Amino acid sequence: MAAPKTAVVGPLVGAVVQGTDSTHFTVFNSKTAELLSHHQVELTQEFPKEGWVEQDPKEILQSVYECIEKTCEKLQELSIDISNIKAIGVSNQRETTVIWDKLTGEPLYNAVVWLDLRTQSTVETLSKKIPGSNNFVKSKTGLPLSTYFSAVKLRWILDNVRKVQKAVEEGRALFGTIDSWLIWSLTGGVNGGIHCTDVTNASRTMLFNIHSLEWDKKLCNFFEIPMDILPKVWSSSEIYGRMKTGALEGVPISGCLGDQSAALVGQMCFQEGQAKNTYGTGCFLLCNTGHKCVFSEHGLLTTVAYKLGKDKPVCYALEGSVAIAGAVIGWLRDNLGIIKTSEESEKLAKEVGTSYGCYFIPAFSGLYAPYWEPTARGIICGLTQFTNKSHIAFAALEAICFQTREILDAMNHDCGIPLTHLQVDGGMTNNKVLMQLQADILHIPVIKASMPETTALGAAMAAGAAEGVDVWSLKPEDLSMVMMERFEPQIKATESEIRYSTWKKAVMKSMGWVTTQPPESSEPTTFSSLPLGFFIVTSMIMLIGARYISGVP
């Protein structure tokens, strides 16, 4: 029997996309940008205390290995020769902080996720040290002092985890965002792994000077971070090292971008003024500002968009970050139980076509752009006896769109030129009700790529274009055009404005809920640690309650 013919396919490029909820590995044809195969693995998150969000770095790494192996198996089933994979790019959830032991390769603590709020009192303490007339942190980094960014997470770990303190003292500790942890591990780990990051991820740590493109000594001194634990900073497109194990052993890892920068590249927003919005766990609107830093007066971040080569110029972006987007649908499913699958939210919302005056502010981790208000918490308001789960599902989808509108308004003010349309990507763009709502609330067309994996595409483009790989041309005339789906506004602008103004009233009501922070500690509260008075008072309350219920005077 003749052996099956191997499909002849041009140079291929793979992309790891390591997100908050899942990991993907996707393989593209570098000549056509066609997606050939991919595999996805869901991840768990840990919530050891209220406001704390952690992940297991070893689970994340294992998910990457699994996705690569499974995708290669699928390609072989399609008779596609995996030796055609010439490069791998990495894209990742940003800000999430990992510290590991360079001698054993073991994480020294769980990854502290970008959504985590435990560092609020750290932020308050640090903010008192910044002169009001000279906010050198923001002028150097483009970022407000917030629980969101890596430096305060790293500071908390150094203050609270003895195992990490000891490793730092002994010169064994390495710090990195998820990209650094993955690239170090994939390129050999304890056996010569490359400890590096790219400019886009470095720019989210609050330790990186976005003007000089270097770790900043003054910032490291301010946060009291030892500079010898930091990774080397590279461009977003060059050969960092090679895979040391698995089906793709020997393949260069040559692209690295934070997930939102990767989506900007994948959407081909290479011109100044082009913008995209990604709908994932959170929601992230980035506008390319070219080679100049634009500092926002309306609550947006200034960040590095990309640097596609060692000798290529850096490009910057204005960014609006929303903490909770797709995560609110997960909350309806996992916490409230009113839907069984994420897709069911679209069906429920479509059934009613309105929130019936119900507004949902999903400020589970405070409010990010444009407010940066850590005291806010989630509220659902405007409820009546008529309100049902379908109205709440609609309000949840609407909340994602209203948050995007707030960011877009801020961006239009900062840039001075209103966007005429919005390019969108991310898993949630498959929800047609959401996309139509977004067009209605923005009152401009929303344009969705028919291939939603633009984050993976951006990482693959950066990897394939790297010097020494050179299988993906980024010249405008060579870029493959992606098919688009267009959503036009279907309601009057006046109706859109009325709904938006009511939403903003609800946002104001969500603020100021958290007035005191619990003490920061890595140790959970136990019964043995509670004072004796607690048990006496609790016992008295229980006794009085029992006597009242039983009718005993």
Side-chain angles (χ1 to χ4, degrees), residues 476-490:
E477 62 270 21
D478 295 333
L479 293 173
S480 303
M481 293 306 295
V482 179
M483 294 293 291
M484 301 288 187
E485 185 177 359
R486 190 177 179 97
F487 295 84
E488 297 282 351
Q490 292 183 354

Side-chain angles (χ1 to χ4, degrees), residues 121-169:
S121 63
T122 303
V123 169
E124 289 167 2
T125 302
L126 288 168
S127 64
K128 292 170 186 172
K129 294 165 61 178
I130 300 175
S133 58
N134 177 26
N135 189 341
F136 65 92
V137 174
K138 187 168 184 182
S139 63
K140 285 172 177 280
T141 68
L143 310 173
L145 194 57
S146 166
T147 59
Y148 185 12
F149 306 107
S150 308
V152 289
K153 301 179 193 300
L154 179 53
R155 181 67 262 148
W156 184 92
I157 294 170
L158 291 171
D159 287 339
N160 290 278
V161 184
R162 180 59 195 144
K163 188 193 288 189
V164 173
Q165 294 165 356
K166 192 167 186 291
V168 170
E169 291 162 5

Side-chain angles (χ1 to χ4, degrees), residues 153-222:
K153 301 179 193 300
L154 179 53
R155 181 67 262 148
W156 184 92
I157 294 170
L158 291 171
D159 287 339
N160 290 278
V161 184
R162 180 59 195 144
K163 188 193 288 189
V164 173
Q165 294 165 356
K166 192 167 186 291
V168 170
E169 291 162 5
E170 296 173 0
R172 294 182 286 111
L174 295 179
F175 154 77
T177 41
I178 294 293
D179 57 305
S180 298
W181 163 243
L182 293 180
I183 293 173
W184 184 84
S185 301
L186 296 173
T187 57
V190 296
N191 298 310
I194 308 300
H195 187 215
C196 68
T197 188
D198 90 300
V199 289
T200 68
N201 281 295
S203 75
R204 311 297 292 194
T205 61
M206 212 178 256
L207 301 170
F208 186 71
N209 188 313
I210 62 173
H211 309 285
S212 66
L213 303 182
E214 296 173 327
W215 299 120
D216 191 286
K217 190 172 182 181
K218 185 175 180 180
L219 290 170
C220 290
N221 288 340
F222 175 73

Side-chain angles (χ1 to χ4, degrees), residues 290-309:
H291 303 313
K292 62 181 183 292
C293 286
V294 175
F295 283 87
S296 173
E297 296 179 5
H298 299 90
L300 303 182
L301 312 178
T302 304
T303 196
V304 175
Y306 52 79
K307 187 178 189 293
L308 296 173

Side-chain angles (χ1 to χ4, degrees), residues 8 64 68 72 86 132 143 146 209 217 245 258 268-269 288 294 320 323 352 363 365 391-392 445 451 455 489-490:
V8 179
V64 171
I68 290 173
C72 288
K86 303 301 182 187
L143 310 173
S146 166
N209 188 313
K217 190 172 182 181
T245 186
M268 301 177 201
C269 295
N288 188 330
V294 175
V352 288
S365 297
H391 298 120
I392 292 173
M451 195 279 293
T455 303
Q490 292 183 354

Side-chain angles (χ1 to χ4, degrees), residues 6-12 27-32 34 36 75 78-81 83-86:
T6 301
V8 179
V9 181
L12 310 180
V27 174
F28 297 91
N29 183 325
S30 66
K31 300 304 178 190
T32 64
E34 177 190 1
L36 299 176
L75 288 171
L78 295 169
S79 300
I80 295 173
D81 188 351
S83 68
N84 280 329
I85 298 176
K86 303 301 182 187

